[in-house]
Amino acid sequence: MRFQMKAAVRLATLRLRGAAGAQVYVDGLLSGAVGPGGAFSTQVAPGERSIELRRGTAKSRTLTHNFQPGETFDAPEDQLALQQPNGAIRIDVTPPEATLTYRRSGEPESNARPMSNPASLPPGEYQITASAPGYASTVITLQVTPGSTQEMPVLLRQVVAPKQQGASGQPMGMSEFDEPNAWISDGGWMIRRGGKYVTYKPTKTAGVFSFMAQLRKGKRLQWVLGFTDQRNYALFRVERNQFTRHSVVNGKTKDLAKVTLPATGEFRITVSAGKIVHEVRAGGQWVTVDEWLSPERDYSAGKFGFLVDEGVFGQKDEYAIRNFTFRPAR
């Protein structure tokens, strides 16, 4: 009978600290539990091993270590800290195009972040804000619990847009142009280079427009009223000391009036249903230069805008506007 001697395998030792009662898993198998004092120790076979703590729904990250024979490995406590799993929330919001933001309760509104829907969030209390153009925003409070899924219906209330006018009836200014950032400030003047139809936001323009204007580059100053699209509007031009009025219907321009101006530079336009009055300031007084009665169309229904031409070879007209105001009719 022959006996073959084999070398004994020297085991390694795993030591760690964690929450009392937490179960210790090595390579996915339960190895024991952390004692009341928060300490745990066990022997493991040499080689690469995975280590994980679990207690209830909480888990630690998985830590891997290549154990050497006879080694004692003290696992870093911060790498085995227990963490609660995220919870899921889903907002069934109407209208569906509404956007959602979230922040933890107690955080300032500036901390609000865009939220996906559904969303996976760490446990805690959250403020969810739903908003959409034309609807009143809504804020709801949700408590996210570990591993749970919550669904919440949210119906936004549609609101009626107020009449387009300045706050408390005050005049509106340059900021109400559709592209206010395209204007450049220059010594008290607002400069616009090209842009073709440079429109003002209000679509109801009954009221009074007033402004000073200079033509820095180009052939003429032009503005429009009752603008609904690029083929339909009333067109007004100032070229040197001549004022002309035109109608544009379905893309066809019709000449209506031509007047010699007593002065140029400062204009006032009064718009009402079926009537447009143009005045210029001359000798310190407002002088009427054109009064247009147009019962066949209400030119107050549509936008005001400047028509700043752009040439075929890249040349752009340049307008300088100052003291622009629009006072809506009450």
Side-chain angles (χ1 to χ4, degrees), residues 99 128-140 154-157 159:
T99 58
I128 313 295
T129 301
S131 58
Y135 293 80
S137 298
T138 295
V139 180
I140 59 174
V154 174
L155 176 63
L156 299 185
R157 179 176 57 85
V159 296

Side-chain angles (χ1 to χ4, degrees), residues 197-271:
Y197 296 96
V198 180
T199 52
Y200 204 57
K201 289 179 182 178
T203 56
K204 300 295 184 182
T205 53
V208 179
F209 292 89
S210 61
F211 53 88
M212 299 175 67
Q214 292 180 355
L215 180 64
R216 298 281 179 91
K217 291 182 181 179
K219 186 177 180 181
R220 60 176 74 93
L221 286 168
Q222 303 179 100
W223 54 85
V224 299
L225 278 164
F227 181 90
T228 55
D229 56 55
Q230 296 185 11
R231 294 171 54 83
N232 294 278
Y233 51 87
L235 172 64
F236 307 91
R237 290 171 171 163
V238 173
E239 186 172 348
R240 296 184 180 178
N241 67 337
Q242 297 294 311
F243 173 90
T244 57
R245 168 171 30 102
H246 317 263
S247 65
V248 180
V249 179
N250 296 326
K252 296 182 179 180
T253 302
K254 181 179 180 181
D255 299 337
L256 299 177
K258 184 175 182 179
V259 179
T260 299
L261 296 174
T264 60
E266 190 170 2
F267 302 88
R268 185 167 71 181
I269 310 166
T270 303
V271 183

Side-chain angles (χ1 to χ4, degrees), residues 23-66:
Q23 296 177 319
V24 181
Y25 286 79
V26 178
D27 288 343
L29 299 175
L30 180 61
S31 180
V34 178
F40 175 83
S41 178
T42 188
Q43 289 187 316
V44 297
E48 186 172 271
R49 306 292 172 211
S50 64
I51 308 158
E52 182 180 282
L53 297 187
R54 303 177 190 174
R55 189 176 70 175
T57 59
K59 293 183 180 181
S60 72
R61 293 185 298 175
T62 299
L63 174 66
T64 59
H65 181 72
N66 189 12

